[in-house]
């Protein structure tokens, strides 16, 4: 059973993400702002980053963009690898409560216990994803998922307008 984040904090951070979205001059700056916001404000979000599909790449490739947290060896991830590849290829949010038990998991930090990856859609197609790792097991409950999906949606909408 996932442990819940403070609901008041979730609400506050949701509002702040909406504000960032209306004020950030570009989608790129919005992505950076969201990584900083989630990493700094949400206690259990220890690594927060965007992977975006490389334009025109064949086979498709996820490339690390803005992130906050420890350096990761996984700067480029094919769609048939990792939790990241699973979320991008299925177009569905993937929540992993215990990364040790998931054979798809590509290790980024030894401290990571749980992970969530949410696709970013642009005009109905996956354009990238928002990936969050936690040092806490089962860190992502329903309200976390909803917050992170909201942030990914803000980025997708913003990309649609560029
Ligand atoms: N754990 C991810 C790789 C990216 S790092 O977490 C930053 C995966 O399994 O795809």
């Amino acid at each position: 059973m996932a442990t819940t984040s403070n609901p008041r904090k979730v609400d506050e951070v949701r509002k702040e993400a909406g504000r960032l979205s209306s004020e950030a001059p570009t989608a790129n700056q919005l992505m950076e702002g969201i990584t900083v916001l989630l990493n700094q404000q949400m206690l259990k979000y220890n690594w927060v980053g965007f992977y975006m599909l490389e334009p025109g790449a064949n086979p498709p490739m996820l490339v690390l963009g803005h992130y906050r947290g420890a350096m990761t060896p996984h700067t480029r991830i094919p769609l048939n690898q990792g939790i990241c590849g699973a979320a991008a290829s299925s177009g569905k949010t993937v929540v992993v409560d215990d990364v040790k038990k998931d054979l798809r998991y590509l290790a980024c930090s030894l401290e990571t216990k749980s992970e969530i990856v949410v696709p970013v859609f642009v005009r109905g197609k996956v354009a990238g994803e928002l990936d969050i790792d936690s040092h806490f097991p089962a860190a992502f409950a329903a309200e976390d998922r909803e917050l992170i999906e909201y942030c990914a949606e803000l980025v997708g909408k913003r990309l649609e307008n560029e």
Side-chain angles (χ1 to χ4, degrees), residues 47 51 72 74 77 82-85 104-106 108 115 131 133:
W47 190 96
Y51 283 93
T72 172
H74 303 295
I77 304 177
I83 314 288
C84 286
R104 300 169 297 182
Y105 176 64
L106 298 171
C108 165
E115 178 164 9
D131 177 18
D133 292 356

